[in-house]
Amino acid sequence: MKGVLASLLIVLMVSTTGECLVCQQCANYTGSDCSSYTSQTCDKTVTQCVSLLMVQKLENKTLYQTWKSCADDPLMCYSTYNMSSGVYIYSKAECCEGDLCNSEPIQLNETSTEDNGVECPVCHAKSACCTSEPGETMKCQGPQTQCVIFIGKVYNGTHFNKWTHHGCITESACQYQITAYPASLIDPGYILTCLQPKH
């Protein structure tokens, strides 16, 4: 009888495990894809895998950061946005269904660089605040139709740096906010405020 119960328990465990989605899991804070990764078994409630790519451009430097995992928070799938304030940040999220469906590299789409008629106060600083000079604005480009004030910390691969941005951002970030670390590079205590743009 004990043998039958043990066999039944093993079958139950295997069938239960088989119902869970398996996703590729990795984090690369210095590149656009992952050279090493593990397989992550998701919680039963998770139905999608996610891949995220963030690109930061400052002067002549371009930094790529990539991570993949189970989409534990559905909002992770909406982390596609771009923001500019002298520092340019592009973030793209792709979600998919099926075991290890997020194994392919994520590609960043071309973003329009044409002025869209929106202007926003501008400043950026590697600190907890910055001040826009009166009348100092930047012309927003492409899908960046909202003005933003971002105050928070951004992970650089080893620690969090304080940043403040006043500039332009896509409306999607205002609607969904930005998922916090470890699902992105943004520390959970950030403040993102969208403002009425100038036309």
Side-chain angles (χ1 to χ4, degrees):
M1 183 67 177
K2 288 183 179 178
V4 173
L5 288 174
S7 299
L8 186 61
L9 181 61
I10 290 172
V11 171
L12 183 61
M13 289 173 65
V14 171
S15 62
T16 301
T17 303
E19 294 175 0
C20 296
L21 180 67
V22 178
C23 297
Q24 190 178 97
Q25 181 182 43
C26 68
N28 182 0
Y29 298 105
T30 59
S32 58
D33 195 24
C34 295
S35 57
S36 61
Y37 59 89
T38 59
S39 296
Q40 178 186 18
T41 301
C42 307
D43 185 83
K44 283 184 179 181
T45 59
V46 176
T47 60
Q48 292 183 300
C49 302
V50 63
S51 298
L52 296 106
L53 173 65
M54 180 177 282
V55 181
Q56 300 178 67
K57 294 184 178 181
L58 175 61
E59 297 175 348
N60 295 325
K61 292 183 179 180
T62 302
L63 304 175
Y64 295 88
Q65 297 171 314
T66 307
W67 56 105
K68 301 179 180 183
S69 68
C70 300
D72 296 319
D73 183 347
L75 290 180
M76 294 169 68
C77 301
Y78 295 94
S79 294
T80 296
Y81 64 91
N82 61 70
M83 177 170 66
S84 55
S85 62
V87 176
Y88 296 86
I89 299 175
Y90 303 89
S91 175
K92 182 180 179 182
E94 286 184 352
C95 284
C96 58
E97 297 180 359
D99 289 342
L100 301 175
C101 64
N102 63 337
S103 59
E104 294 297 319
I106 187 169
Q107 301 295 326
L108 193 66
N109 298 335
E110 290 289 331
T111 302
S112 172
T113 56
E114 292 187 7
D115 294 347
N116 59 22
V118 174
E119 290 189 28
C120 298
V122 60
C123 70
H124 68 271
K126 208 170 183 179
S127 66
C129 64
C130 69
T131 303
S132 301
E133 296 297 328
E136 187 176 0
T137 63
M138 70 178 299
K139 294 182 178 180
C140 301
Q141 299 176 342
Q144 299 177 348
T145 58
Q146 298 289 313
C147 297
V148 67
I149 296 175
F150 170 87
I151 303 170
K153 297 178 181 179
V154 180
Y155 192 63
N156 68 2
T158 58
H159 60 278
F160 286 92
N161 289 321
K162 292 181 180 179
W163 276 102
T164 300
H165 298 278
H166 294 197
C168 308
I169 199 167
T170 48
E171 188 175 353
S172 58
C174 302
Q175 291 176 331
Y176 300 109
Q177 294 291 301
I178 299 171
T179 50
Y181 184 86
S184 79
L185 303 178
I186 309 299
D187 184 73
Y190 78 89
I191 299 172
L192 188 150
T193 305
C194 293
L195 306 173
Q196 187 66 33
K198 296 179 179 179
H199 293 273

